[in-house]
């Protein structure tokens, strides 16, 4: 009996493992694409956001129409707003952040948002999971300690708010019955929000873009965002909020390595130490427990 149960659990884990890895690499690629585009002024943050969301929407809408049978667009306006806020603040923050540091701030905020949501909804947080989250969060604090290599506070704050928006977007996707159609709808619904926010998007300097900046924005929109997010919406249906939050903490390490290899960003001792601590927290939080304990239900923060 126990052998069959173990095999079934292993099969379920393998079912979402490879899609999750694809999504996490796509998330890291977004940081690298954005830094490549903004580093030398090839495109401004607002234009990068518009091209990224518009190209992702077109790609996903074509994809659901070409499927047999064709799917209708799903998604919600709330998810569209969360996606819009995340994408713009993400681009604005990367004007002064390295790929690795920005991703650490982003997904640290994501983790806190999702663990907090899980706790408020009464989801059981194991001692191991909580300890792993705290260790990973300590790694983020290592990065933010004052010093010559500490990121600019204003950019760090923008990235943290962006992470909160992405955490909300991920949570809105839990239970999605049609991940691809819902992601397509969310991207399409993010575009009207861009119109509403237009006066803020291009506040100050006007839009500017080059062929290289446009190419990076298209890569971010179609490959790293459109395809990556659609797959991720399928993954979050199969894992808990705690697991989803902890899995995403591997992205900063991937983004940091991508920044070093593709952009020539320095691999500082601080970033290396923070990455090791974060990965250690992930390993601890996701390590399988030897014995499943039945916990008493706890009241939700929302009330009885």
């Amino acid at each position: 009996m126990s052998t069959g149960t173990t095999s079934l659990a292993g099969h379920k884990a393998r079912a979402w493992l490879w899609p999750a890895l694809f999504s996490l690499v796509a998330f890291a690629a977004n940081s690298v694409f954005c830094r490549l585009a903004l580093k030398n002024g090839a495109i401004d943050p607002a234009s990068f956001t518009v091209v990224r969301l518009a190209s992702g929407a077109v790609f996903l809408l074509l994809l659901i129409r070409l499927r047999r049978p064709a799917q209708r667009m799903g998604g919600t306006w709330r998810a569209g707003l969360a996606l819009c806020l995340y994408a713009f603040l993400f681009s604005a923050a990367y004007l002064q952040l390295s790929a690795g540091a920005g991703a650490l701030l982003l997904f640290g905020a994501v983790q806190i948002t999702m663990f907090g949501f899980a706790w408020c909804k009464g989801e059981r947080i194991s001692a191991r999971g909580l300890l792993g989250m705290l260790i990973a969060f300590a790694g983020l604090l290592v990065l933010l300690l004052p010093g010559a290599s500490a990121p600019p506070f204003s950019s760090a704050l923008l990235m943290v708010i962006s992470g909160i928006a992405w955490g909300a977007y991920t949570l809105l996707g839990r239970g999605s019955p049609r991940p691809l159609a819902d992601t397509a709808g969310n991207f399409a619904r993010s575009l009207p929000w861009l119109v509403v926010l237009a006066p803020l998007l291009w506040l100050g300097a006007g839009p500017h873009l080059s062929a290289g900046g446009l190419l990076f924005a298209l890569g971010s929109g179609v490959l790293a965002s459109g395809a990556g997010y659609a797959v991720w919406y399928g993954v979050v249906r199969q894992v808990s909020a705690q697991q989803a939050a902890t899995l995403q903490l591997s992205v900063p390490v991937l983004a940091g390595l991508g920044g070093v290899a593709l952009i020539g960003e320095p691999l500082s001792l601080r970033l290396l130490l923070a990455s090791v601590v974060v990965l250690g927290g992930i390993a601890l939080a996701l390590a399988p427990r030897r014995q499943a304990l039945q916990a008493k239900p706890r009241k939700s923060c929302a009330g009885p």
Side-chain angles (χ1 to χ4, degrees):
M1 177 67 71
S2 59
T3 303
T5 303
T6 303
S7 300
L8 181 60
H11 175 73
K12 289 182 177 180
R14 287 192 296 271
W16 60 260
L17 179 59
W18 291 110
L21 289 175
F22 171 82
S23 298
L24 297 174
V25 171
F27 295 162
N30 260 327
S31 294
V32 175
F33 278 137
C34 192
R35 278 296 293 155
L36 283 169
L38 299 177
K39 184 179 180 182
N40 297 317
I43 192 172
D44 64 283
S47 297
F48 183 91
T49 303
V50 171
V51 173
R52 176 186 176 186
L53 293 179
S55 61
V58 171
F59 169 75
L60 289 166
L61 289 173
L62 286 175
L63 205 57
I64 63 173
R65 294 300 181 188
L66 291 175
R67 295 191 69 177
R68 292 292 179 267
Q71 295 186 2
R72 296 181 60 185
M73 186 179 75
T76 65
W77 286 105
R78 286 189 302 168
L81 175 60
L83 179 61
C84 177
L85 289 175
Y86 147 74
F88 173 66
L89 295 174
F90 174 90
S91 301
Y94 261 129
L95 281 172
Q96 296 182 292
L97 296 176
S98 68
L104 270 174
L105 290 166
L106 175 75
F107 286 100
V110 170
Q111 184 199 43
I112 295 170
T113 300
M114 297 185 67
F115 267 87
F117 176 85
W119 184 82
C120 285
K121 290 297 183 181
E123 186 174 312
R124 182 176 181 272
I125 299 179
S126 66
R128 183 191 295 269
L130 181 60
L131 180 59
M133 185 272 288
L134 292 175
I135 291 175
F137 182 64
L140 300 178
L141 293 180
V142 169
L143 181 68
L144 292 175
L145 288 174
S149 57
F153 178 77
S154 58
S155 296
L157 180 61
L158 288 177
M159 191 61 85
V160 167
I161 300 173
S162 175
I164 294 172
W166 173 254
Y169 179 79
T170 299
L171 290 168
L172 289 169
R174 295 186 71 205
S176 169
R178 300 181 302 152
L180 182 60
D182 285 340
T183 306
N186 292 336
F187 267 74
R189 287 180 172 85
S190 72
L191 301 180
W193 286 115
L194 287 175
V195 176
V196 174
L197 297 175
L200 295 177
L201 296 184
W202 280 289
L203 188 65
H208 65 275
L209 67 159
S210 65
L214 181 62
L215 185 63
F216 288 132
L218 287 172
S220 177
V222 174
L223 299 176
S225 298
Y229 294 3
V231 174
W232 180 245
Y233 252 34
V235 171
V236 295
R237 295 175 58 197
Q238 305 174 62
V239 299
S240 69
Q242 300 171 52
Q243 288 176 312
T246 310
L247 279 169
Q248 290 180 94
L249 281 177
S250 64
V251 175
V253 180
L254 298 174
L257 294 175
V260 172
L262 301 176
I263 311 175
E265 294 178 342
L267 183 60
S268 66
L269 179 61
R270 179 187 294 229
L271 180 58
L272 183 61
L273 178 60
S275 298
V276 169
V277 175
V278 167
L279 277 179
I282 294 172
L284 179 63
L286 293 182
R289 291 173 297 163
R290 293 185 177 182
Q291 184 177 11
L293 300 177
Q294 188 70 28
K296 295 181 180 180
R298 182 176 60 80
K299 287 186 178 181
S300 167
C301 287

